[in-house]
Amino acid sequence: MTNRSERGEILLLTVNELYSIIRTDGFFENIFKKEVDWDKELDARDSDAFDAAWNSSCKALNDIDSSESKVITEIREYVFKETFRITQHAELAGYTSDDFGLIAKAFECRLDDAFINSLWESYDQRNFPNEIEE
């Protein structure tokens, strides 16, 4: 799962390593092939705290570099298609694609952002992130 240093810090992956991990068999199935009310899960992400953290992290990344590399675009497309294939839920696929765009961009920019790290840890543990870690 997530690589950590001896002090427990998350070691940032490269974008290509991330892409390789998410393309492994069963990665998205283990997250989304569950009996879950996905609308309720998405509603939980509408909290002010989650929304503010997501937007703040996105702004921090865009302040560093507002462009999107080809590999990030490929990751976002792959994530959307896989999530939609499993769930048939376009909004969920869009949110997940946006999350992975944010995660990949942070890895590409080498930005160590606590919120983005928590997003990745959630997915890496095969859970859909829908709340702020306290």
Side-chain angles (χ1 to χ4, degrees):
M1 298 248 181
T2 301
N3 294 329
R4 292 190 176 272
S5 71
E6 290 179 13
R7 295 186 307 220
E9 300 154 326
I10 292 179
L11 301 176
L12 298 177
L13 302 170
T14 67
V15 176
N16 288 326
E17 289 170 329
L18 173 66
Y19 200 14
S20 179
I21 290 168
I22 67 173
R23 289 188 322 206
T24 59
D25 285 342
F27 184 88
F28 287 103
E29 285 82 357
N30 289 327
I31 297 168
F32 295 113
K33 204 165 191 175
K34 302 174 181 173
E35 291 297 319
V36 173
D37 181 345
W38 293 114
D39 290 321
K40 185 176 176 183
E41 294 291 308
L42 291 172
D43 287 346
R45 289 179 58 137
D46 286 338
S47 73
D48 290 340
F50 193 99
D51 189 57
W54 203 101
N55 286 312
S56 174
S57 294
C58 185
K59 182 182 180 327
L61 279 170
N62 284 330
D63 287 348
I64 294 169
D65 180 3
S66 62
S67 66
E68 183 171 282
S69 69
K70 181 180 178 200
V71 71
I72 292 176
T73 300
E74 290 172 5
I75 287 170
R76 289 173 51 94
E77 182 178 337
Y78 176 80
V79 168
F80 183 92
K81 288 178 177 178
E82 282 297 291
T83 305
F84 186 77
R85 178 184 63 79
I86 296 163
T87 66
Q88 297 297 298
H89 196 300
E91 187 177 9
L92 177 64
Y95 274 65
T96 306
S97 174
D98 289 347
D99 285 351
F100 274 91
L102 197 66
I103 293 164
K105 181 77 171 211
F107 289 165
E108 184 176 76
C109 292
R110 310 309 290 164
L111 178 67
D112 187 10
D113 179 281
F115 177 74
I116 296 172
N117 292 344
S118 73
L119 282 179
W120 169 239
E121 279 196 47
S122 186
Y123 283 114
D124 192 35
Q125 294 169 6
R126 309 309 187 259
N127 295 308
F128 180 71
N130 65 0
E131 60 187 32
I132 298 283
E133 299 273 329
E134 298 294 334

